[in-house]
Amino acid sequence: MSNENNPFGGISSQYATNVQFGGAPAGGAAPAADLIKDTTTAAFSADVIQESRNQPVLVDFWAPWCGPCKQLTPVIERVVQAAGGRVKLVKMNIDDHPAIAGQLGIQSIPAVIAFKDGQPVDGFMGAVPESQIRDFIDKVAGKDGGQPQIAEALAAAAEARDAGDLQTAVQIYDAVLEQAPDNLDAIAALAEILFEAGDVAGANEVLARAPEGKQDAPALASVRARITLAEEAAALGDSAELERRLAQNPGDHQARFDLAMIQNANGQRTEAADSLLAIVKADRTWNDDGARAQLLKLFEAWGFTDEVTLATRRKLSSLLFS
């Protein structure tokens, strides 16, 4: 995502991996400390056995003297953070706490054992490559990216956005796209937030992430329509001049049409709709039925279930069929 003109200054990429899908508070992001922790023999049952009933827990058995352990640690921590809460990582120093490793029959370190539903289910040994760790997490946590968790994350992001916490919303949407790059809801919402913040380039870049064949999905088309309408409105100049023209000549349909474009760009949806409806009512044939055609574009930009869309559709139908 482009950081130029981005008011979040790269926040989306900085914090995306700290968002925990499973169990994160609505509208909030789980700190990295909630995904990665050290444990002891006494805390092992709570940190691993019980916690693995919520999501898989990877246990990294290591020791300070172990060179390959030092190679593995930063890599596995990075991959676990990037997994966005699909798994947790618990680290156990076998020099200080040898009992658990002994019970599991671990003879060599580093050794990573995955626990799920209270039981060890899989594992690997050695400082393996990052790609192999990602594959391992996909194997134990599911390669689908955790659809129920993603649904919860999208709901939390929407709640954060409604509350005006755009930073958290961006974090969560970016984390969702880390796990499910083709999620159209996250793409559309993130693009819309960037557009509303004035980062049109960033919004277009996010929209371009949509997979081939889904570029024209309604949610994405709506954001693109908003961008197009805003660009057109920016070229129309001052609304005060248009209002002056209308005061002098209420039949100046072009001035009313241009004013509607500016009103929409300023978030005055009802006013924009009423301006275009006034043209339809006065002269349906103006500009080849241009006012009605523009209303249809606004409906697409606003969304077909938007309250103003629905209300304006009823008014338009009354004009057309009365």
Side-chain angles (χ1 to χ4, degrees), residues 4-319:
E4 185 177 357
N5 299 323
N6 183 350
F8 303 114
I11 281 174
S12 56
S13 59
Q14 179 181 353
Y15 291 99
T17 57
N18 293 342
V19 176
Q20 178 187 10
F21 291 162
D34 287 349
L35 298 180
I36 301 171
K37 67 187 302 183
D38 292 289
T39 193
T40 65
T41 302
F44 188 86
S45 178
D47 291 343
V48 178
I49 303 303
Q50 296 302 320
E51 190 60 34
S52 72
R53 303 186 191 281
N54 299 322
Q55 76 279 301
V57 176
L58 309 186
V59 183
D60 176 16
F61 294 95
W62 68 285
W65 48 263
C66 170
C69 297
K70 296 176 182 178
Q71 297 174 22
L72 177 66
T73 294
V75 179
I76 194 170
E77 287 184 354
R78 182 167 63 248
V79 176
V80 167
Q81 289 178 356
R86 292 164 60 205
V87 298
K88 289 189 175 182
L89 175 66
V90 172
K91 298 183 291 183
M92 175 165 270
N93 181 343
I94 65 169
D95 279 359
D96 294 338
H97 307 282
I100 301 295
Q103 292 171 15
L104 292 172
I106 292 173
Q107 301 293 322
S108 177
I109 56 172
V112 175
I113 306 297
F115 283 75
K116 194 171 183 179
D117 297 324
Q119 300 291 329
V121 294
D122 205 346
F124 64 84
M125 296 176 61
V128 303
E130 183 171 336
S131 60
Q132 188 172 329
I133 299 173
R134 286 198 300 267
D135 290 343
F136 181 75
I137 290 176
D138 285 342
K139 181 179 179 182
V140 299
K143 198 170 183 178
D144 62 357
Q147 292 304 318
Q149 291 83 2
I150 287 177
E152 292 176 5
L154 290 173
E159 185 172 342
R161 186 178 176 188
D162 289 343
D165 187 356
L166 299 184
Q167 177 175 311
T168 294
V170 167
Q171 293 170 12
I172 300 175
Y173 285 130
D174 220 35
V176 169
L177 292 174
E178 179 77 24
Q179 302 304 318
D182 60 350
N183 188 286
L184 299 183
D185 291 333
I187 291 173
L190 183 56
E192 193 168 43
I193 289 174
L194 291 171
F195 164 69
E196 291 174 351
D199 185 4
V200 176
N204 282 322
E205 186 175 336
V206 171
L207 290 172
R209 298 184 192 178
E212 186 176 353
K214 296 184 179 180
Q215 292 281 345
D216 295 327
L220 306 185
S222 176
V223 182
R224 288 197 183 90
R226 291 188 62 186
I227 293 173
T228 299
L229 290 169
E231 290 172 344
E232 292 174 353
L236 296 177
D238 184 12
S239 62
E241 171 61 20
L242 297 173
E243 290 170 349
R244 185 190 63 78
R245 285 170 53 185
L246 285 171
Q248 293 178 347
N249 178 17
D252 187 342
H253 297 326
Q254 186 63 57
R256 196 176 301 277
F257 183 93
D258 292 348
L259 180 61
M261 297 287 288
I262 294 176
Q263 288 169 330
N264 175 65
N266 292 336
Q268 298 171 291
R269 293 183 178 181
T270 299
E271 292 83 352
D274 287 345
S275 293
L276 293 172
L277 286 170
I279 298 174
V280 174
K281 182 177 181 179
D283 185 358
R284 170 78 185 274
T285 63
W286 178 79
N287 199 22
D288 294 328
D289 204 13
R292 185 187 65 85
Q294 189 64 31
L295 276 172
L296 298 182
K297 292 181 181 179
L298 293 184
F299 296 160
E300 180 181 39
W302 298 341
F304 294 108
T305 60
D306 179 81
E307 291 183 3
V308 179
T309 296
L310 296 174
T312 306
R313 277 190 179 279
R314 290 192 293 269
K315 294 177 183 178
L316 181 61
S317 296
S318 297
L319 287 175

